[in-house]
Amino acid sequence: MILDLTRRHFLAGSAALLTGGCATMPMSPTASVRPITLVDAFSGRRVGKGRFQIPLVGVDRGLTAVLHGRLRGSVLTVAEDFLFDDGEKNRLTWHFTKTGPKTWSGRREDVIGEAQVQDLGTEIRLSYEADVMSKGSATRLQFSDVLYRQQDGVIINNAVVKKAGLVIGSIHL
């Protein structure tokens, strides 16, 4: 009986992991949303609370993000101050450059190459690869974010986190 239960758990867990690996981008919002642009989302001071989760290795970290953004010409600069519930702090700065009517590219200290941004009217799509520092070591992860503004004006950022192309976690802010 123990072997059978273990086998069922293994098969269910494997199926869940494989199915989760198919979700390479976060879902678009299903509820009614208000228009949003990258400049709207990040200009001025913004504060967000959320979670960074990687269930496979037991990571579940609460975080607060304080962002300060300013547009100058075609460059949007966004300083991000992160405070994790365990006391760890981190500051990163995005430099987004407008590349077309609905597209931007972005650079940040930890980003490998350039982030690609699509400004789609009711949602913003952001994809990039970064070396994420935690407890003194870097781990290369891929991020696929969707940002949208709810009817009440609150901006939501949901992200799928991947390592070596496999979905391993999520961010909700």
Side-chain angles (χ1 to χ4, degrees):
M1 184 63 148
I2 292 174
L3 180 61
D4 187 38
L5 186 58
T6 304
R7 180 180 290 153
R8 255 188 271 151
H9 279 105
F10 174 76
L11 292 173
S14 297
L17 191 59
L18 291 172
T19 304
C22 297
T24 58
M25 291 291 288
M27 298 293 293
S28 293
T30 55
S32 177
V33 294
R34 291 175 38 195
I36 189 170
T37 66
L38 190 68
V39 173
D40 292 340
F42 292 124
S43 288
R45 183 176 188 271
R46 303 279 189 234
V47 178
K49 287 192 168 285
R51 301 210 75 70
F52 177 67
Q53 298 175 311
I54 302 178
L56 195 60
V57 293
V59 172
D60 185 356
R61 300 177 76 192
L63 69 116
T64 300
V66 179
L67 293 80
H68 299 275
R70 182 175 24 182
L71 179 65
R72 285 194 175 156
S74 62
V75 177
L76 175 63
T77 301
V78 183
E80 302 175 306
D81 291 308
F82 297 102
L83 174 60
F84 290 89
D85 288 354
D86 62 10
E88 184 178 342
K89 295 179 181 180
N90 195 4
R91 176 171 231 189
L92 298 167
T93 303
W94 279 108
H95 299 279
F96 294 107
T97 303
K98 194 158 184 66
T99 57
K102 295 181 182 232
T103 58
W104 298 74
S105 65
R107 292 196 174 272
R108 193 173 74 181
E109 300 90 336
D110 62 336
V111 170
I112 309 306
E114 290 188 345
Q116 301 304 311
V117 184
Q118 294 179 304
D119 218 336
L120 301 172
T122 57
E123 66 185 53
I124 300 162
R125 293 274 174 178
L126 176 65
S127 298
Y128 60 98
E129 185 173 44
D131 285 334
V132 176
M133 294 298 295
S134 181
K135 297 183 179 152
S137 66
T139 302
R140 185 155 295 173
L141 299 173
Q142 299 86 38
F143 296 84
S144 298
D145 294 43
V146 62
L147 290 87
Y148 59 93
R149 184 188 314 269
Q150 298 178 141
Q151 283 298 326
D152 61 5
V154 172
I155 297 172
I156 302 295
N157 181 353
N158 287 323
V160 170
V161 181
K162 297 180 280 184
K163 181 168 177 60
L166 295 174
V167 174
I168 61 164
S170 63
I171 299 172
H172 179 76
L173 190 64

